[in-house]
Amino acid sequence: MEITLTLNGKKRTASVSPDTMLFDFLRNHGCYSVKCGCETSACGLCTVLLDGKPVLSCSVLAVRADGHTVTTLEGLQEEASEFVGFIADQGAEQCGFCNPGFVMNTIALLREHPDPTDDEIRAYLAGNLCRCSGYEGQTRGIRAYLNAKKEGLL
Amino acid sequence: MNRELKSVGKGVRKKDAMQLLLGKPAYVDDVTPSDCLVVKVLRSPHAHALIREIKTDVAEKVPGIAEIFTYKDVPQKRFTMAGQTYPEPSPYDRLILDQRVRFVGDAVAIVAGEDERAVDKALRLIKVQYDVLPAVLDFHEALDNEILVHPEENWKALCDVGADNKRNLCAQGMESDGDVDAVIEDCDITFTRTFHTKACHQAMMETFRTYTEIDPYGRLHVVSSTQIVFHARRILAHALDIPKSKIHVEKPRIGGGFGAKQTLIAEIYPAFVTWTTGRPAKMIYSRKECQTSGSPRHEMEVTVRIGANRDGTIRALDVHTLSNTGAFGEHGPTTVGLSGHKSIPLYTGELEAFRFAYDVVYTNVESAGAYRGYGATQGIFAVESVVNELADMLGMDPVDIRMKNMVREGQIMPAYYNEPASACALDKCMLRCAERFGWAEKYPVRRMPDGKIRAAGVAMAMQGSGISGVDVGSAAVKLNDDGFYVLRIGAADMGTGCDTILAQMTAECMDCSVDDVTVFGADSDASPYDSGSYASSTTYVTGRAVEKACLELKEKICAVAAEMLGCAASDLVFHGREVEKADGSASVSLADIATKSMCGNNIALEATSSHSSPISPPPFMAGMAEIELDPETGAVEVLNYTAVVDCGTAINPNLARIQTEGGLVQAIGMTLTENIRYDDRGHLTENSFLQYKLPTRLETGRLNVEFASSYEQSGPFGAKSIGEIVINTPAPALAHAIHRATGHWYRELPILPETIALDLARDAENGAAE
Amino acid sequence: MLTIDKYLRPATLEEAYEAAQKKNSVILGGMLWLRLGNRRIGTAIDLTGLVPDGIEDTGDTYRIGAYATLRTLETHEGLNILTDHAVRDSLCSIVGVQFRNLATAGGSIFGRFGFSDVVTTFLALGASVELYKTGTVTLEEFCTMGRVNDILTHIVLPKSPVTASYLAHRNAATDFPVLNTCAALCDGILTVTVGSRPLRAVPYRFPTDSGISAENIAETVAGQTVFASNTRASEDYRRHLCRVLVRRAVTDVLEKSAAKAAREVK
């Protein structure tokens, strides 16, 4: 089947099988940031934005993205760069494998709630598993970013 | 050190942090071609069976299938997949494929094909007839059972670990100091308790995965997510029965390891396919395979007998561990040791005698492996819980009883190979932890207005820093153009940040910035030999190798400078960016020395050093947990966890803190949510993340981490280790807090809400009946 | 691995209905559970454009399109004000935002999964479902039906004033519930549902003028409900939880209701 979608700002037309998952489609189209950590829609590593909303790309049929806009971390480097340094300052990236999904969902969080509380951060990101960091460093990093923004340091 | 440190002790960013956070390609599947054979393994549905007949003819006809291999096609020399220094303590009990399958998930056939669809189809079309055999599923019944997991004649143990395959015994041993029975006889109080911990999974986010190809020299090139490139080379050579010179192993970025990748799990299958077919191949484990056919923690039953006086003096500890290595013996003989060696010495203070005995048995469940803590976690849960119970019996504050009995700096630890506690701030850790946590306020049990109960618990822990007399760390430091350095290592950064902390040490030694140091590794061809990243060894062991290499390189740099300045090297002083005559009369810049090294030079500006330590100085820590328990539902919420760690000098306090927080949360999972259950046919229930519940960020509570550092003379800049110890305190501390809230001691993990709620409901009924 | 031979995006509901009659055809929802099985699907039918993904305020009802996501329900202000946030409370622990942006209301309700949080809540709130051929049936009736070869197009929630409370116990924060309950007081009738038994949710109704206590209601419900054991919990524990959670939810509803009444008096 042929599908046309906007991937990271560019129109892409491609042929896919009825059961090709968006996750596989994206990696086959060079979006290596998108990772898979489970097969059961439970880890959040494959998070991308579909029409601006965070979704699990492992659970979306590629054909269902036909006519839609898909954004991966490859397409949001600038927006991500604004805050990921604060995560790095905590050392909370660790192995990094969960980072793209976490960063994508954090982008969605900050677009939806520009000034979240720590508990709102935790609730929004609850579907992003991380086995290395214990999570608190990620929260501290986001908090440090929000504080820096408030203080006009960015 | 009289000089102020510039790089060591600083929370610098991890060198790869920004690239990882921005999702750049870095891991095995990102950096290897997708145009290769897809490799998958057909897995046994039976816990124990012999393959009577296996038919692959129909499956082979599936378009796109390249090869299907069965037990008839593989070398017949047994090997172990444990990443340990040769000769490995783990028995040689594996073949790549065996006619006997020993657990549900054991490998039956290897299928290689052009794409996943074809391979999946072929997997369905392989017809296997099994002679299903009775299985040993309960590890209590394994020893001397008539059912043997490894009856084969070519099973062998390279080391004397007390193994006997005709008894289902992977290892057995006993050690003691003093007369435990006599001391206990003389004690005011003694009791025995038994604890059960399960085969928890590391559950690193990146599953096991390996890419293999034949390189232009005809060698097997392996790109794998592994902690142990050198052991991997040897193990693959054994498995494939080919010379080690034919194999080249490298690791790119690793998506977490925690010990899981200290065993070869995925590597042998694509390696065998590539070596046999000559074609590139890749195997990516599914999460289900990681759960059912991975290398989890050893299930253990630890029995502790304690002898103490009424004043709280702990005089004797008698520990027995029964460990379940599962179907194969990877890390079986070694993990068990830590259950005693890292628990008993915590009470060296007043201890008059100890005994530590163990049996490690084979069963027909998933083979266990190495997981952060490596046996210490299990042993410390048991011993620390017993000490908490003792304090409770005696009406003593559990912090006080520890202060009275804990190991102190300078003491010799008979239960830890008679090594000295050369650097030990455990007392400071405990006192500071109590202060920061607010022990005095939080220890009393508090009933909240909504009926929930708040309570607190405590535990302490130790680990090691590398394997004494065994682990080898190496570092090669080279001066390059403009005066930047390349540090080559064989240790594997699996996300922990060892590349960065070793660069910090290099920068400190070479008096340059961390940015001036590039790190390369790990690669079995290009890196200097390193045992690999495990056993909390990298900072302590490889770190010292970095120091040695830097010292040597400085001398070589001075030798080149001496030629340039026309003086003796002994007249020169190394200042980092320049080398100066001691009298200050002349100098030459490092950049110019680097340039000179590439023009008419005979002195290689490169130094390689190895280091091995005769001792393994333990890091120490104290941990305190505050929980809120709902007595009606049994739900336990972790509110706060405070940990104070003595890891010696924290080379990078940020990374040490994150290590601690990550370890605490893994252990919170092990204690409260991560269950492992087998049905009566040996099928694992928790075979996905839907069933195996890792803590989310809603379940960690607030983590407060501090360091109360000692200075370890034998370590680089006074450092010991941090990676593993951090997983050891939550289980006993949480079990303690739950006891405070409920009156029940839980000695099996995980402690589930159901167990708590039904116990309390029963208590209420009994109370009402009385 | 899930395999799909054919993906169909029908032009009309009639076409979708006809396609759905074939064995091996599946109507797609959010695809979160569908994907888990080792299933081979002949035709996957996508209803995008045929069933709405929004929530329509018809005046006396909220008419929820079958393709509205759980996240849409969770963040819908009107729906949450109406239900004392029981809708949000029942959805916010389901895996994660990314999951709830895919899972559909229709898929959750149509599946009538035993573990469902959505069914437990909507059943208590007196919802109905609109099926393309069958027409409108109450969710309660729908829950008693066997396999339904029809297309769920809407879920309709009456806008009558209600006081509600949703509670669940989970062994882990974003796990399936071990037991869930929703209590909803509307027009003097208190409806209590119990789900994740782990069987499908069941409703009980109590007139509030009878003056029975939360304890009694909890005891009655726990006594009448059939529970079972699965990997997450035993039958005994579920019965125990049922007493606790129903009592708490009913207490919460009665307290909130009293508070509302007090405000009205003022």
Side-chain angles (χ1 to χ4, degrees):
Chain A
M1 308 181 70
E2 195 175 271
I3 59 168
T4 301
L5 70 163
T6 306
L7 175 58
N8 294 328
K10 283 189 192 136
K11 273 250 179 316
R12 298 275 197 128
T13 299
S15 174
V16 299
S17 300
D19 49 13
T20 301
M21 286 296 171
L22 182 59
F23 168 80
D24 295 304
F25 173 89
L26 291 171
R27 282 192 67 92
N28 288 336
H29 283 75
C31 299
Y32 292 117
S33 73
V34 190
K35 300 290 192 280
C36 172
C38 70
E39 300 90 45
T40 51
S41 314
C43 74
L45 265 63
C46 63
T47 303
V48 301
L49 303 186
L50 179 62
D51 295 333
K53 287 183 182 155
V55 298
L56 302 169
S57 64
C58 73
S59 305
V60 177
L61 287 180
V63 288
R64 289 185 121 180
D66 186 24
H68 293 271
T69 297
V70 177
T71 315
T72 70
L73 188 47
E74 280 81 1
L76 292 175
Q77 294 284 295
E78 216 170 296
E79 194 168 345
S81 297
E82 216 186 286
F83 70 89
V84 296
F86 291 86
I87 311 292
D89 286 338
Q90 297 292 333
E93 70 293 321
Q94 288 292 293
C95 87
F97 204 72
C98 75
N99 290 356
F102 157 73
V103 169
M104 289 303 287
N105 209 28
T106 304
I107 286 173
L109 159 74
L110 295 175
R111 286 179 179 181
E112 208 172 311
H113 306 281
D115 189 21
T117 64
D118 283 1
D119 280 341
E120 282 168 345
I121 294 171
R122 292 186 187 103
Y124 201 98
L125 301 178
N128 292 89
L129 295 182
C130 168
R131 193 60 160 168
C132 296
S133 74
Y135 303 111
E136 288 283 89
Q138 294 182 345
T139 311
R140 283 196 300 274
I142 296 171
R143 177 56 48 207
Y145 161 71
L146 293 170
N147 289 345
K149 215 164 89 169
K150 270 184 213 165
E151 288 159 23
L153 299 175
L154 294 179
Chain B
M1 308 288 300
N2 39 26
R3 189 166 60 84
E4 196 190 324
L5 298 173
K6 288 180 190 159
S7 298
V8 163
K10 302 289 186 284
V12 301
R13 277 186 190 176
K14 209 146 71 65
K15 282 186 162 288
D16 50 1
M18 291 305 282
Q19 297 297 98
L20 298 183
L21 279 159
L22 290 171
K24 306 294 188 191
Y27 307 89
V28 170
D29 195 35
D30 303 343
V31 299
T32 57
S34 51
D35 182 20
C36 62
L37 292 175
V38 171
V39 177
K40 289 199 186 189
V41 167
L42 180 70
R43 307 233 169 242
S44 168
H46 303 295
H48 194 191
L50 281 172
I51 298 170
R52 189 196 311 155
E53 193 180 10
I54 181 160
K55 281 188 171 171
T56 58
D57 49 338
V58 180
E60 276 162 15
K61 291 200 183 84
V62 173
I65 290 303
E67 285 287 348
I68 298 177
F69 300 102
T70 70
Y71 71 90
K72 294 168 191 164
D73 305 313
V74 301
Q76 291 303 305
K77 282 189 192 164
R78 289 192 184 267
F79 60 96
T80 177
M81 303 205 301
Q84 301 178 303
T85 296
Y86 183 85
E88 302 97 323
S90 302
Y92 280 22
D93 54 13
R94 279 199 190 256
L95 298 173
I96 299 173
L97 297 168
D98 206 337
Q99 187 176 10
R100 179 183 298 270
V101 288
R102 295 178 176 82
F103 68 99
V104 174
D106 204 355
V108 172
I110 306 170
V111 180
E114 307 297 337
D115 60 48
E116 195 174 359
R117 220 174 273 266
V119 171
D120 283 341
K121 189 167 183 191
L123 282 169
R124 286 196 297 271
L125 293 172
I126 297 173
K127 292 283 168 271
V128 192
Q129 285 191 347
Y130 296 95
D131 288 325
V132 178
L133 303 172
V136 188
L137 295 175
D138 181 347
F139 75 136
H140 299 96
E141 294 167 5
L143 187 60
D144 294 324
N145 195 307
E146 61 183 23
I147 305 161
L148 290 181
V149 179
H150 286 280
E152 62 273 7
E153 293 304 321
N154 60 353
W155 176 99
K156 66 175 175 185
L158 272 59
C159 302
D160 179 17
V161 292
D164 183 349
N165 61 320
K166 300 295 163 70
R167 299 185 62 202
N168 283 332
L169 197 56
C170 176
Q172 191 172 54
M174 198 275 279
E175 60 199 82
S176 64
D177 182 65
D179 187 338
V180 168
D181 295 318
V183 173
I184 286 183
E185 185 76 12
D186 185 53
C187 284
D188 297 337
I189 186 166
T190 179
F191 60 95
T192 305
R193 298 288 181 264
T194 297
F195 298 81
H196 182 206
T197 57
K198 296 187 182 172
C200 290
H201 281 265
Q202 302 88 348
M204 61 285 161
M205 286 295 127
E206 182 198 36
T207 60
F208 301 105
R209 50 195 61 197
T210 302
Y211 169 82
T212 51
E213 64 186 6
I214 302 293
D215 76 6
Y217 301 94
R219 299 165 77 220
L220 179 67
H221 180 205
V222 180
V223 182
S224 191
S225 187
T226 178
Q227 300 171 219
I228 42 157
V229 293
F230 289 98
H231 293 333
R233 180 174 71 186
R234 182 191 68 245
I235 294 165
L236 286 172
H238 287 174
L240 302 176
D241 200 16
I242 62 175
K244 297 178 184 80
S245 62
K246 289 289 184 192
I247 302 174
H248 169 205
V249 183
E250 64 170 304
K251 67 110 203 145
R253 292 291 96 189
I254 303 174
F258 313 111
K261 294 169 183 174
Q262 193 199 338
T263 300
L264 261 65
I265 301 295
E267 287 86 348
I268 55 170
Y269 306 112
F272 183 72
V273 166
T274 293
W275 190 251
T276 311
T277 65
R279 299 189 55 189
K282 195 185 296 190
M283 179 155 192
I284 295 182
Y285 260 50
S286 66
R287 181 57 60 186
K288 184 180 177 188
E289 284 180 301
C290 279
Q291 290 293 114
T292 60
S293 312
S295 58
R297 191 179 290 288
H298 284 73
E299 176 186 28
M300 287 187 190
E301 185 179 83
V302 183
T303 301
V304 181
R305 186 163 67 126
I306 192 168
N309 280 357
R310 213 157 278 121
D311 66 356
T313 308
I314 297 171
R315 298 174 59 194
L317 280 167
D318 186 7
V319 175
H320 178 269
T321 302
L322 173 65
S323 172
N324 182 2
T325 196
F328 298 96
E330 275 90 18
H331 302 279
T334 40
T335 44
V336 73
L338 278 72
S339 69
H341 298 150
K342 304 288 159 67
S343 58
I344 301 168
L346 285 168
Y347 293 96
T348 300
E350 304 284 331
L351 207 66
E352 294 165 43
F354 82 90
R355 178 165 52 209
F356 171 46
Y358 55 87
D359 301 290
V360 185
V361 293
Y362 282 116
T363 59
N364 291 113
V365 301
E366 181 178 12
S367 176
Y371 180 7
R372 194 180 213 172
Y374 203 81
T377 316
Q378 296 94 311
I380 286 171
F381 169 53
V383 169
E384 284 298 276
S385 292
V386 161
V387 170
N388 282 330
E389 191 168 346
L390 174 68
D392 187 60
M393 283 177 183
L394 296 172
M396 275 183 85
D397 187 303
V399 171
D400 295 342
I401 203 169
R402 286 183 169 79
M403 292 308 295
K404 184 177 174 63
N405 292 284
M406 69 171 55
V407 60
R408 302 282 175 153
E409 190 160 282
Q411 284 179 340
I412 299 293
M413 297 176 282
Y416 191 61
Y417 315 106
N418 282 311
E419 283 190 24
S422 47
C424 173
L426 181 55
D427 50 349
K428 287 190 204 110
C429 290
M430 184 59 70
L431 294 175
R432 177 60 192 144
C433 194
E435 188 182 6
R436 171 86 189 260
F437 178 76
W439 180 254
E441 305 83 61
K442 290 191 169 125
Y443 183 58
V445 177
R446 292 146 289 148
R447 193 171 275 272
M448 309 310 287
D450 62 0
K452 291 183 183 168
I453 302 167
R454 290 194 178 181
V458 60
M460 58 190 194
M462 60 182 275
Q463 195 79 34
S465 302
I467 306 172
S468 48
V470 175
D471 283 348
V472 174
S474 301
V477 190
K478 179 170 72 163
L479 180 70
N480 299 266
D481 272 19
D482 293 345
F484 82 93
Y485 297 98
V486 171
L487 168 67
R488 278 183 293 120
I489 54 170
D493 191 333
M494 56 191 123
T496 51
C498 78
D499 285 0
T500 305
I501 62 119
L502 294 173
Q504 286 177 260
M505 293 185 202
T506 306
E508 197 63 60
C509 294
M510 302 310 294
D511 199 6
C512 64
S513 118
V514 179
D515 290 339
D516 292 330
V517 184
T518 292
V519 186
F520 171 88
D523 181 310
S524 66
D525 277 1
S527 299
Y529 180 81
D530 196 293
S531 319
S533 285
Y534 59 86
S536 294
S537 62
T538 303
T539 302
Y540 176 75
V541 181
T542 309
R544 282 287 283 160
V546 167
E547 280 190 306
K548 286 184 185 176
C550 287
L551 205 63
E552 199 182 314
L553 179 60
K554 273 195 253 186
E555 284 176 16
K556 291 183 173 180
I557 290 172
C558 286
V560 172
E563 279 181 17
M564 294 168 77
L565 293 171
C567 64
S570 55
D571 289 342
L572 295 173
V573 184
F574 181 87
H575 286 311
R577 297 318 295 174
E578 61 172 16
V579 175
E580 193 182 27
K581 274 190 171 174
D583 61 11
S585 61
S587 70
V588 58
S589 75
L590 191 68
D592 287 344
I593 297 170
T595 304
K596 169 67 183 164
S597 76
M598 296 178 291
C599 179
N601 170 45
N602 286 305
I603 303 168
L605 289 187
E606 178 168 350
T608 304
S609 283
S610 290
H611 180 72
S612 188
S613 172
I615 55 168
S616 175
F620 296 95
M621 77 181 281
M624 292 178 180
E626 184 189 21
I627 61 159
E628 182 170 274
L629 185 143
D630 183 333
E632 288 191 306
T633 64
V636 174
E637 186 187 354
V638 180
L639 298 178
N640 291 291
Y641 204 99
T642 301
V644 181
V645 190
D646 164 21
C647 59
T649 303
I651 302 295
N652 184 322
N654 283 4
L655 297 179
R657 180 179 184 184
I658 295 283
Q659 280 295 301
T660 309
E661 291 173 343
L664 293 177
V665 171
Q666 268 184 327
I668 288 170
M670 174 184 174
T671 309
L672 298 177
T673 58
E674 296 174 29
N675 207 352
I676 290 293
R677 289 169 296 180
Y678 285 94
D679 69 12
D680 55 8
R681 293 176 307 127
H683 288 254
L684 178 65
T685 304
E686 286 76 14
N687 62 8
S688 77
F689 280 172
L690 288 183
Q691 304 290 344
Y692 190 74
K693 299 315 290 184
L694 310 185
T696 66
R697 70 190 71 223
L698 300 172
E699 293 156 292
T700 65
R702 301 293 75 81
L703 310 174
N704 308 297
V705 173
E706 275 190 28
F707 297 94
S709 296
S710 59
Y711 192 93
E712 172 53 46
Q713 291 294 341
S714 68
F717 303 94
K720 295 190 287 188
S721 80
I722 185 79
E724 293 184 275
I725 182 173
V726 292
I727 202 166
N728 294 336
T729 61
L734 287 167
H736 186 202
I738 292 169
H739 168 260
R740 296 281 297 167
T742 63
H744 289 269
W745 289 106
Y746 292 100
R747 303 188 182 96
E748 181 180 68
L749 302 181
I751 306 169
L752 298 172
E754 168 163 359
T755 317
I756 295 171
L758 294 185
D759 279 348
L760 292 180
R762 226 169 283 128
D763 292 348
E765 265 175 47
N766 294 343
E770 282 162 19
Chain C
M1 193 166 129
L2 176 76
T3 57
I4 299 172
D5 294 336
K6 192 181 161 202
Y7 169 83
L8 179 70
R9 198 123 163 207
T12 62
L13 278 171
E14 186 58 30
E15 192 193 333
Y17 179 80
E18 273 167 28
Q21 301 312 304
K22 265 186 267 165
K23 245 210 314 202
N24 269 346
S25 297
V26 169
I27 293 174
L28 299 179
M31 285 205 57
L32 295 149
W33 304 134
L34 186 64
R35 206 169 75 79
L36 300 185
N38 226 337
R39 213 169 143 176
R40 193 182 180 91
I41 292 169
T43 304
I45 304 162
D46 190 340
L47 300 180
T48 302
L50 295 177
V51 297
D53 59 7
I55 300 173
E56 182 193 352
D57 185 345
T58 66
D60 55 355
T61 68
Y62 282 117
R63 195 159 172 256
I64 301 162
Y67 269 18
T69 67
L70 299 188
R71 183 77 179 152
T72 300
L73 301 188
E74 178 190 352
T75 55
H76 190 275
E77 203 183 342
L79 203 54
N80 279 298
I81 289 172
L82 173 70
T83 62
D84 296 324
H85 292 91
V87 168
R88 183 197 63 196
D89 293 348
S90 68
L91 300 176
C92 66
S93 297
I94 300 174
V95 189
V97 168
Q98 310 97 309
F99 184 102
R100 303 197 294 277
N101 270 330
L102 290 173
T104 61
S108 301
I109 298 271
F110 191 78
R112 293 161 288 169
F113 303 110
F115 54 76
S116 177
D117 294 288
V118 187
V119 171
T120 297
T121 308
F122 278 70
L123 193 56
L125 295 170
S128 304
V129 295
E130 291 179 18
L131 299 163
Y132 172 58
K133 288 285 179 186
T134 316
T136 301
V137 296
T138 64
L139 180 55
E140 182 171 354
E141 189 188 342
F142 187 55
C143 281
T144 64
M145 291 161 73
R147 189 180 136 82
V148 177
N149 232 343
D150 203 340
I151 297 171
L152 191 156
T153 61
H154 295 83
I155 300 139
V156 182
L157 202 65
K159 279 177 73 180
S160 3
V162 65
T163 304
S165 182
Y166 170 90
L167 288 175
H169 171 76
R170 292 172 141 83
N171 285 335
T174 59
D175 193 9
F176 293 107
V178 167
L179 194 93
N180 54 22
T181 180
C182 186
L185 176 61
C186 183
D187 285 340
I189 301 288
L190 178 71
T191 306
V192 175
T193 52
V194 181
S196 298
R197 308 177 282 132
L199 312 164
R200 272 183 199 169
V202 283
Y204 298 90
R205 288 195 180 77
F206 303 90
T208 45
D209 52 14
S210 62
I212 55 169
S213 67
E215 281 78 10
N216 286 341
I217 290 174
E219 212 47 58
T220 306
V221 170
Q224 290 183 13
T225 307
V226 175
F227 299 95
S229 301
N230 68 357
T231 59
R232 280 178 171 68
S234 70
E235 181 187 338
D236 284 352
Y237 181 46
R238 286 198 162 93
R239 184 168 295 110
H240 171 85
L241 278 177
C242 177
R243 279 194 198 97
V244 174
L245 297 182
V246 168
R247 190 197 74 229
R248 289 180 182 178
V250 171
T251 304
D252 185 39
V253 162
L254 295 179
E255 283 174 8
K256 280 196 281 200
S257 165
K260 281 182 193 175
R263 271 201 300 275
E264 274 166 32
V265 170
K266 275 180 196 167

